[in-house]
Amino acid sequence: MATDISQDVTVGEINKYDFITPSHDVFKAQKGLNPEIVAQISEMKQEPAWMRDFRLESLKIFESKPMPKWGGDIGIDFQDIYYYLKPADHQGKTWDDVPQEIKDTFDKLGIPEAEKKYLAGVKAQFESEVVYGSLQEDLGNKGVIFTDTDTAVREHPDLLREYFGKIIPPTDNKFAALNSAVWSGGSFIYVPPGVHIDFPLQAYFRINAEQMGQFERTLIIVDEGASVHYVEGCTAPMYTTESLHSAVVEVIVKKNGRARYTTIQNWANNIYNLVTKRAVAYQDSLMEWIDGNLGSHLTMKYPAVYMMEPGARGEILSIAFSSKGQHQDAGAKVVHCAPHTKSRIISKSISKNGGRSSYRGLCKVEKGATDCKSNVVCDALILDSASRSDTYPYIEVEEQDVQIEHEASVSRIGEEQLFYLMSRGLSEAEASSMIVSGFIEPLIKELPMEYAVEMNRLIELQMEGSVG
Amino acid sequence: MTETLKITNLHVSVEGKPILRGVNLTINRGETHALMGPNGSGKSTLGNVIMGHPNYEVTEGKIELNGEDISEWDATERARAGIFMAFQRPMAIPGVKMADFLRHATTNVRNPSRKEGEELIPMRQFRKELTEKMEQLRMDTEFARRYVNDGFSGGEMKRAEILQMAMLRPKFAILDETDSGLDVDAVKLASQSIAEIGGDQMGILIITHHDKLLDQNTPDFTHVMLGGKIVETGGVELAHELYTDGYDRIRASYPEAAVAEQVMAEAV
């Protein structure tokens, strides 16, 4: 049973999503980063002065901050990137307003299938700006706001300003500062008290211009006793030069609220994916992050939940799949700031064909946060001897009366498991693929149906030709 | 023409150590063979090597299915050609539901030329058949939704193996200590089940220490393995004798094989 680990399957396996739609930009900013470019972005967007000043201040912070010292090597030339592109003059209000070539791209991504049910609820981002979005009427009637963040700056300035940059200030880290300076697009969601949205709100993101960074900025506010499930999926076409994706996502879940944020990202192999995601959860609320990371050259992403008041809960499910030339440095952070709070982290990683996956997680219990429970499980599956997996759990506890559990396991696909499945007529590739699907099943079953199907298909594509 | 699984002068090594030293065995479809012998005599090795385990190296001899040498085939090809083994210790595949696994397996075995990604048996047809078989084996239908062998009791694992055999309808089946770890009633149920799912249509090789599994599946032949060879073949009465009296007579009658048994035991 020879396993050829040297063959490069990365090109074939993402072919399905590897296409480029000709770009007809109305406006194309120049490469690089300086106060003039940042001010120009703000002016293009006709932003109020406070936002322009916020951007310029953030740029200073970005310039003064060192690169992160953990994770992977970040080999980005910040002056060789476009920070803002505007693909259409205005955002399409209906599907008919959306330009044909953008529709073609959506077709290739399979978006119409997902749309059939929730057409009106779907927002999609093409390059830097949301070009299509409309809101289901009953959502509007309930007072729910679901728009792109640029629009929210204009139409909901007071609400936005109250929370924007408060959970993740620009001073948080270098990439949060960069995003704060040049952000564009992303979703803004407000769910009023007691309102439950019983279908997932969805957005597709896509980078389509070479060397263009994508810096979306998402802010979700779930008011008291309200609930929402937001789903974000990404596929990116493949380019030869490096590309940067650096998003900031802030979520506020108030008393008795529930929020679930699901992400499936399938980046091309040259993308740096450096994302800051953080939620604050108040009394008896629940925040859940479900985070699937495929592809990219380097991903550094650690969704966080800060439990601010008693009874708050945080749950993070994350999965990373790394193949040749890919490093997934992903994980989770849970911070218990109040007593009687609970958290759970389940992290699964798969490394194959020389890929590297790291779990990096923090569990912190602050002084006074008694009677807290935290359960962390991280499992790694390594498919061949060229691949690698590491675990970096950080635990900081300042209270006695707490229950912290951490389990980690690393396994290789066993020869005996393969033989067992093959003895039932499965091919070796089919058997490996089945073992991998089983490994990530706990995450898949949390996804909405069409994403579960998509995720399984992506994993199958990743697995094709990996053995044999 | 009767279909035949024929093993000729089979020598097998694992990590350079010889385990089988010239096994000859012919099983015709429709026959039941019992294979007995003390621990370490090579019984499970024979089962694994017939199924195509990659760690067992055939150094001499051959395995033929209907005249075609299959010694170089991998387990997938053998399964699709109609060979099955009920494992002594089946592997757990966490996260994979029995029903999904069996639907793939059943499709592949019934359509041996199927390529990955091609159509599976229609869900409705598969469900119906699976439910029938599970009822026949007195298994709760909930079983189909559990993960393959994950957290199964010993008895559940063995019944799951028989269920797989029932679905795959092999031409030749090896039952590797399917009775071990089962209580008397469970062995009886397993024994009945094998008979009910059409054991008489298959060529069966039952590897066992006991004679209980043989009650409902009376062997046409009983073979005794010692020191990596089949040293004696008889009828069902031989199985009863070995179960009752042990292997002292066999060791005394075949001193060369008894010496080989010693050598193999010390090499472990």
Side-chain angles (χ1 to χ4, degrees):
Chain A
M1 193 159 53
T3 301
D4 182 5
I5 51 164
S6 63
Q7 71 184 115
D8 181 359
V9 296
T10 52
V11 174
E13 69 198 12
I14 75 150
N15 257 347
K16 185 172 178 303
Y17 296 107
D18 186 13
F19 44 79
I20 298 162
T21 306
S23 212
H24 298 295
D25 296 321
V26 179
F27 161 86
K28 198 164 188 173
Q30 63 200 91
K31 275 184 183 178
L33 195 57
N34 58 47
E36 288 69 40
I37 288 177
V38 170
Q40 194 188 12
I41 291 171
S42 189
E43 193 184 330
M44 286 293 304
K45 291 171 176 290
Q46 299 172 319
E47 288 177 345
W50 76 267
M51 183 58 83
R52 187 196 58 221
D53 296 345
F54 174 84
R55 288 179 182 275
L56 290 168
E57 186 58 30
S58 299
L59 178 64
K60 282 185 203 156
I61 296 166
F62 168 74
E63 284 166 346
S64 69
K65 284 250 175 206
M67 283 288 205
K69 290 189 176 60
W70 68 90
D73 291 331
I74 302 169
I76 301 169
D77 179 354
F78 290 105
Q79 295 305 332
D80 197 30
I81 288 175
Y82 291 105
Y83 287 89
Y84 179 62
L85 292 178
K86 191 180 163 78
D89 271 336
H90 59 88
Q91 187 177 327
K93 288 195 176 62
T94 70
W95 187 239
D96 289 342
D97 294 340
V98 177
Q100 190 57 44
E101 70 177 48
I102 290 173
K103 285 182 186 169
D104 291 347
T105 302
F106 289 159
D107 277 346
K108 289 176 200 163
L109 284 170
I111 287 180
E113 278 89 302
E115 266 183 11
K116 278 175 189 153
K117 264 156 108 185
Y118 305 123
L119 184 68
V122 171
K123 296 178 68 63
Q125 179 162 355
F126 186 82
E127 303 187 359
S128 302
E129 193 124 347
V130 175
V131 294
Y132 166 66
S134 74
L135 192 57
Q136 261 187 351
E137 219 175 277
D138 67 321
L139 281 185
N141 293 341
K142 285 176 182 169
V144 174
I145 301 167
F146 178 31
T147 182
D148 64 287
T149 309
D150 294 280
T151 301
V153 171
R154 292 192 300 271
E155 296 181 3
H156 308 282
D158 297 339
L159 187 59
L160 179 124
R161 200 174 172 181
E162 188 181 343
Y163 299 99
F164 188 94
K166 298 295 195 300
I167 313 300
I168 304 170
T171 47
D172 190 82
N173 67 73
K174 191 172 181 74
F175 289 93
L178 178 64
N179 175 284
S180 299
V182 299
W183 74 269
S184 201
S187 295
F188 176 81
I189 298 172
Y190 172 73
V191 189
V195 172
H196 300 281
I197 303 173
D198 46 16
F199 56 89
L201 297 180
Q202 317 195 22
Y204 281 82
F205 295 86
R206 181 167 166 76
I207 294 175
N208 195 292
E210 196 171 358
Q211 289 174 303
M212 193 207 72
Q214 182 152 338
F215 305 94
E216 82 266 15
R217 180 96 193 185
T218 289
L219 175 58
I220 299 175
I221 303 147
V222 179
D223 217 323
E224 292 191 3
S227 68
V228 69
H229 182 186
Y230 178 70
V231 184
E232 165 201 68
C234 297
T235 59
M238 186 152 144
Y239 289 109
T240 50
T241 52
E242 284 153 1
S243 226
L244 173 61
H245 174 254
S246 186
V248 166
V249 178
E250 298 172 290
V251 182
I252 297 102
V253 194
K254 295 194 179 175
K255 185 179 173 182
N256 289 321
R258 292 176 72 116
R260 172 180 278 201
Y261 192 112
T262 298
T263 309
I264 301 296
Q265 292 190 317
N266 174 35
W267 297 109
N269 290 345
N270 55 334
I271 297 231
Y272 284 90
N273 182 34
L274 312 167
V275 172
T276 310
K277 287 180 158 178
R278 188 174 302 162
V280 290
Y282 292 94
Q283 192 179 329
D284 298 322
S285 67
L286 172 63
M287 174 65 206
E288 298 169 285
W289 293 107
I290 296 173
D291 209 57
N293 300 295
L294 285 87
S296 85
H297 174 63
L298 173 65
T299 287
M300 288 169 63
K301 183 157 61 153
Y302 324 96
V305 182
Y306 283 63
M307 288 151 277
M308 309 303 290
E309 291 179 353
R313 284 184 295 151
E315 297 201 359
I316 302 161
L317 267 172
S318 92
I319 179 162
F321 192 117
S322 59
S323 189
K324 188 175 183 175
Q326 299 172 353
H327 181 185
Q328 302 281 0
D329 197 88
K333 284 188 205 173
V334 287
V335 182
H336 295 261
C337 307
H340 320 297
T341 49
K342 266 192 211 171
S343 65
R344 187 170 66 126
I345 297 171
I346 298 174
S347 159
K348 298 207 168 234
S349 72
I350 299 155
S351 314
K352 76 160 235 262
N353 215 359
R356 180 177 174 193
S357 302
S358 311
Y359 168 78
R360 191 179 300 277
L362 170 70
C363 172
K364 188 171 182 180
V365 178
E366 303 216 325
K367 190 94 191 132
T370 53
D371 185 34
C372 291
K373 282 184 189 160
S374 179
N375 176 248
V376 180
V377 179
C378 46
D379 297 327
L381 185 64
I382 303 177
L383 269 53
D384 52 62
S385 58
S387 303
R388 173 175 168 185
S389 168
D390 309 280
T391 305
Y392 306 98
Y394 302 90
I395 297 175
E396 297 170 21
V397 178
E398 293 178 32
E399 273 299 336
Q400 298 290 317
D401 176 25
V402 293
Q403 240 182 307
I404 310 266
E405 294 160 350
H406 180 94
E407 300 163 42
S409 77
V410 178
S411 46
R412 292 179 185 276
I413 283 195
E415 226 170 28
E416 296 299 327
Q417 277 181 320
L418 279 179
F419 174 56
Y420 184 70
L421 295 178
M422 288 170 72
S423 80
R424 301 305 187 241
L426 274 64
S427 69
E428 190 173 348
E430 214 172 9
S432 302
S433 188
M434 192 169 270
I435 292 167
V436 169
S437 321
F439 178 74
I440 58 166
E441 159 75 10
L443 185 126
I444 299 289
K445 70 181 183 198
E446 296 298 325
L447 299 177
M449 182 63 103
E450 63 261 38
Y451 284 86
V453 170
E454 170 94 340
M455 185 77 183
N456 275 326
R457 209 164 60 212
L458 287 171
I459 296 279
E460 272 167 31
L461 286 171
Q462 296 278 340
M463 290 300 298
E464 267 171 27
S466 66
V467 288
Chain B
M1 190 195 89
T2 308
E3 296 189 82
T4 304
L5 182 67
K6 187 177 179 196
I7 290 151
T8 312
N9 189 31
L10 191 68
H11 290 250
V12 170
S13 292
V14 178
E15 291 166 359
K17 292 192 203 85
I19 308 247
L20 299 185
R21 304 180 307 120
V23 173
N24 293 293
L25 178 65
T26 300
I27 303 173
N28 291 309
R29 205 167 166 187
E31 291 174 357
T32 298
H33 293 239
L35 180 63
M36 300 181 76
N39 287 335
S41 58
K43 303 186 299 293
S44 287
T45 298
L46 181 62
N48 277 296
V49 83
I50 294 172
M51 195 67 248
H53 195 298
N55 288 0
Y56 295 81
E57 190 196 350
V58 175
T59 53
E60 204 181 325
K62 59 187 173 183
I63 304 167
E64 289 166 293
L65 180 65
N66 301 328
E68 191 172 358
D69 190 348
I70 61 166
S71 328
E72 297 295 315
W73 292 13
D74 69 15
T76 308
E77 293 169 287
R78 295 184 200 205
R80 293 186 186 195
I83 297 175
F84 178 89
M85 177 164 78
F87 282 57
Q88 192 178 344
R89 282 182 285 273
M91 298 304 296
I93 316 288
V96 176
K97 291 193 182 83
M98 281 296 291
D100 294 336
F101 159 59
L102 264 174
R103 190 166 166 224
H104 275 84
T106 308
T107 307
N108 287 346
V109 168
R110 293 190 190 167
N111 175 15
S113 58
R114 176 181 175 265
K115 303 266 185 307
E116 253 171 87
E118 287 177 13
E119 290 285 304
L120 294 168
I121 323 181
M123 184 58 101
R124 186 185 291 263
Q125 181 197 330
F126 173 75
R127 280 258 171 81
K128 185 167 174 284
E129 196 178 332
L130 183 63
T131 308
E132 278 170 16
K133 292 287 189 263
M134 290 174 77
E135 278 170 9
Q136 206 175 355
L137 296 172
R138 287 175 280 284
M139 295 169 85
D140 193 325
T141 46
E142 175 59 29
F143 212 75
R145 288 190 284 274
R146 289 177 65 185
Y147 297 149
V148 179
N149 298 319
D150 196 21
F152 283 20
S153 70
E156 286 171 335
M157 277 190 195
K158 298 302 169 75
R159 282 161 75 194
E161 294 291 288
I162 295 169
L163 174 66
Q164 293 176 42
M165 184 165 84
M167 290 299 291
L168 299 180
R169 303 193 297 241
K171 295 172 180 167
F172 294 95
I174 303 148
L175 307 181
D176 189 3
E177 300 202 14
T178 296
D179 51 2
S180 72
L182 300 188
D183 60 30
V184 180
D185 288 342
V187 172
K188 199 171 163 192
L189 179 61
S191 181
Q192 281 169 355
S193 304
I194 293 162
E196 278 166 20
I197 61 171
D200 56 348
Q201 304 298 308
M202 307 174 197
I204 301 189
L205 182 66
I206 299 178
I207 299 171
T208 184
H209 283 291
H210 308 283
D211 56 357
K212 288 282 171 286
L213 195 59
L214 307 176
D215 282 353
Q216 309 271 337
N217 305 276
T218 312
D220 302 294
F221 303 95
T222 300
H223 308 279
V224 189
M225 190 170 251
L226 186 70
K229 273 184 181 173
I230 288 174
V231 292
E232 193 172 308
T233 295
V236 66
E237 73 292 341
L238 178 58
H240 294 308
E241 180 215 313
L242 295 171
Y243 178 62
T244 313
D245 302 337
Y247 296 96
D248 288 349
R249 179 184 70 75
I250 299 291
R251 289 195 179 93
S253 307
Y254 307 96
E256 186 272 340
V259 170
E261 183 191 19
Q262 286 290 322
V263 172
M264 282 161 63
E266 282 156 19
V268 171

